[in-house]
Amino acid sequence: MSFCDFAYHRPTTLTEACRLGQRLGAGALYIAGGTELLPDFRRGVETASDLIALGGVPEFRGIELDGAALRIGAMTTIRELAESPAVREAYPVLAEAALTLGSPQIRSQATIGGNFCRAVPCADTPPACIVGGATVKLVSQEGERTLPAEEFFVGPRRTILARGELLVAIVLPPQPPRSGASFQRFARRRGSSLAVASVAARLVLDGGKIAEARIAL
């Protein structure tokens, strides 16, 4: 199969996007920013008979407060995530993790949903979300389900998503009082480089003791 040998679909509603994924079957892939998927095509590690572009579906957009929680649409770009005043105020470590991802050009194209759904081990935003107690909102023709972010991944490049099911949003709860988080990554060189290892950690203090610790590698 050549790099361009696929049909391209542009749904405008969430229902249509789910229906296309279900109908087109295992050969269909969803595409967001494409910064992981397209290089995989070029390297020959991924193929598809159909690409379903999600940029025209409004439900995937936006960063907003949902009650006390912060809802981040899956098509939010990494640049928007890094620069969002709402993210910086509610959970600054996620903005810091986003800022480490790739170059400015890549951050302007890549999305947090793609960073989750490609499930590559070097992804930068999932560890920060996991230690923050984030949940993911998934939608399919069968309905909606919400689960903890750590349960979304089942292995390298593998997620819990069923055929025709989509990650619509990542939801971050308010962080506990007296808590703090940090994200660190190690790469082979400075500048735009994939992480060899990255870690996020969050501690909650109670008096002079650690009441809770969460670590994601």
Side-chain angles (χ1 to χ4, degrees):
M1 178 179 289
S2 69
F3 177 68
C4 294
D5 189 16
F6 53 75
Y8 190 73
H9 308 266
R10 297 194 65 180
T12 57
T13 68
L14 185 55
T15 299
E16 182 186 5
C18 293
R19 185 168 57 243
L20 276 169
Q22 182 71 35
R23 177 173 62 82
L24 294 171
L29 292 175
Y30 292 107
I31 183 169
T35 56
E36 289 283 356
L37 182 59
L38 297 182
D40 282 347
F41 280 142
R42 295 189 184 102
R43 290 192 295 263
V45 299
E46 187 72 270
T47 61
S49 58
D50 297 85
L51 284 185
I52 305 169
L54 300 176
V57 181
E59 288 92 338
F60 292 105
R61 298 286 181 180
I63 300 173
E64 59 188 10
L65 285 174
D66 183 2
L70 189 66
R71 181 190 184 278
I72 302 169
M75 285 293 291
T76 299
T77 68
I78 300 301
R79 179 185 62 81
E80 291 169 335
L81 197 64
E83 297 177 356
S84 166
V87 174
R88 288 181 175 182
E89 180 177 350
Y91 194 50
V93 71
L94 179 56
E96 294 168 11
L99 197 57
T100 70
L101 192 154
S103 64
Q105 295 91 335
I106 290 174
R107 290 194 293 273
S108 293
Q109 187 70 21
T111 66
I112 188 172
N115 209 216
F116 267 68
C117 292
R118 294 304 293 168
V120 294
C122 62
D124 293 300
T125 59
C129 291
I130 287 170
V131 299
T135 58
V136 292
K137 180 181 178 182
L138 312 180
V139 175
S140 69
Q141 287 187 288
E142 283 70 44
E144 299 182 5
R145 57 175 176 155
T146 300
L147 64 151
E150 60 262 35
E151 296 180 13
F152 183 74
F153 304 97
V154 295
R157 296 181 179 272
R158 296 174 57 225
T159 73
I160 202 170
L161 287 170
R163 184 178 300 173
E165 189 172 37
L166 286 159
L167 169 63
V168 176
I170 295 96
V171 180
L172 277 162
Q175 297 303 293
R178 302 202 67 205
S179 66
S182 178
F183 174 81
Q184 304 291 327
R185 76 197 303 267
F186 170 74
R188 293 184 182 273
R189 63 180 186 274
R190 291 187 177 184
S192 179
S193 178
L194 296 177
V196 175
S198 61
V199 58
R202 188 192 72 182
L203 301 181
V204 181
L205 301 181
D206 181 6
K209 298 181 180 180
I210 296 173
E212 178 189 334
R214 290 172 63 86
I215 301 173
L217 292 162

